[in-house]
């Protein structure tokens, strides 16, 4: 079944769209006059946060010069490939959920990332995240990951990872799924949005 947004002509990221999508790093209510001033007066190289949610974007492109960007929301689009963001090296928060992405790639240089969401895509394997050692929260739920053991082995070096969501993947149907993650990823505090029970962790070891 086609993604609802696919029925419309894909949007191209240009300066007009960028300015319309300027937001704040912290979620807060902004007066309309202040919001308008922010969207018209902010220099592109000073933009800290952009929200391209629900913009029918097919290709990530034309984000050159946005070196101050800390937060980037590209959720709920029709993006098929992670590309053209390797220069955004100050990014700490990246949301690519609800797209058509099949492979994790193009993130190697984003070493400041602490929050990454790839929820609800078509990803079948955790890969190409090795340099993202600051990751605190990783959401890869509702994808096509089959091998929970492989995922656990891959994530073991990520000592800063505290929150992991893999719910909705084929591997989460394994009756031992939660127990296996708890037993091997000792730094995780939340699995699938649920607080880890330390007593169960000790039993699982």
């Amino acid at each position: 079944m086609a993604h609802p947004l696919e029925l419309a002509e894909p949007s191209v990221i240009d300066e007009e769209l960028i300015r319309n999508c300027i937001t704040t790093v912290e979620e807060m209510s902004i007066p309309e006059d202040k919001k308008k001033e922010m969207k018209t007066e902010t220099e592109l190289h000073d933009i800290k946060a952009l929200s391209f949610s629900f913009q029918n974007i097919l290709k990530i492109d034309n984000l050159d010069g946005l070196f101050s960007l800390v937060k980037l929301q590209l959720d709920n689009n029709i993006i098929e490939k992670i590309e053209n963001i390797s220069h955004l090296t100050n990014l700490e928060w990246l949301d690519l959920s609800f797209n058509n992405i099949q492979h994790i790639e193009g993130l190697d240089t984003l070493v400041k990332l602490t929050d990454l969401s790839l929820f609800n895509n078509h990803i079948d394997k955790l890969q190409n995240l090795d340099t993202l050692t600051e990751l605190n929260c990783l959401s890869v739920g509702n994808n096509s990951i089959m091998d929970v053991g492989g995922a656990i082995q891959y994530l073991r070096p990520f000592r800063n990872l505290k929150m992991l969501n893999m719910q909705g993947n084929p591997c989460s149907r394994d009756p031992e799924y939660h127990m296996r993650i708890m037993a091997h990823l000792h730094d995780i505090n939340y699995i699938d949005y649920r607080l880890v029970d330390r007593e169960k962790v000790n039993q699982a070891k």
Side-chain angles (χ1 to χ4, degrees):
M1 184 174 176
H3 193 295
L5 292 174
E6 289 174 356
L7 302 175
E9 190 71 22
S11 297
V12 175
I13 298 175
D14 56 17
E15 184 172 341
E16 181 182 3
L17 184 59
I18 288 171
R19 291 200 172 278
N20 284 336
C21 293
I22 293 175
T23 184
T24 54
V25 175
E26 311 248 331
E27 292 185 15
M28 61 178 77
S29 181
I30 307 169
E32 282 304 313
D33 57 337
K34 180 68 177 172
K35 193 182 293 185
K36 186 176 180 181
E37 179 186 335
M38 187 173 68
K39 292 186 176 186
T40 55
E41 303 298 325
T42 307
E43 296 286 346
L44 292 181
H45 58 77
D46 288 330
I47 296 172
K48 299 277 189 188
L50 287 169
S51 177
F52 292 112
S53 307
F54 296 98
Q55 294 296 324
N56 201 39
I57 293 166
L58 175 63
K59 182 179 174 66
I60 306 172
D61 209 354
N62 301 324
L63 297 177
D64 304 321
L66 300 171
F67 302 114
S68 298
L69 210 57
V70 173
K71 182 176 182 178
L72 179 58
Q73 291 172 251
L74 285 158
D75 58 286
N76 290 282
N77 285 291
I78 50 173
I79 295 165
E80 297 177 347
K81 183 180 174 71
I82 306 172
E83 58 186 339
N84 300 321
I85 58 172
S86 60
H87 61 291
L88 303 177
T89 53
N90 284 309
L91 270 187
E92 297 175 10
W93 200 95
L94 177 61
D95 187 352
L96 285 160
S97 58
F98 294 94
N99 278 290
N100 297 323
I101 296 165
Q102 296 188 31
H103 305 291
I104 301 174
E105 58 190 330
L107 301 174
D108 311 54
T109 58
L110 308 185
V111 296
K112 293 184 181 180
L113 271 185
T114 59
D115 288 67
L116 174 61
S117 179
L118 291 159
F119 185 84
N120 211 94
N121 278 281
H122 308 299
I123 294 162
D124 61 8
K125 183 181 180 183
L126 293 183
Q127 59 185 344
N128 300 322
L129 296 172
D130 307 70
T131 58
L132 309 186
T133 55
E134 296 300 311
L135 271 184
N136 178 268
C137 178
L138 175 64
S139 178
V140 287
N142 278 21
N143 275 284
S144 305
I145 299 168
M146 304 280 295
D147 180 12
V148 66
I152 289 169
Q153 192 63 33
Y154 185 79
L155 292 173
R156 289 186 81 163
F158 292 79
R159 304 310 301 266
N160 289 309
L161 193 63
K162 305 300 180 189
M163 292 174 277
L164 174 65
N165 174 30
M166 290 180 60
Q167 194 171 29
N169 282 285
C171 67
S172 67
R173 299 190 202 113
D174 181 338
E176 299 297 313
Y177 159 76
H178 275 107
M179 202 65 80
R180 290 177 70 184
I181 293 175
M182 288 190 293
H184 296 286
L185 299 180
H186 305 146
D187 299 302
I188 299 286
N189 292 329
Y190 290 87
I191 301 172
D192 301 342
Y193 311 111
R194 290 189 296 180
L195 184 64
V196 169
D197 184 329
R198 291 294 169 192
E199 192 174 321
K200 284 188 178 179
V201 171
N202 292 331
Q203 292 172 3
K205 286 180 181 178

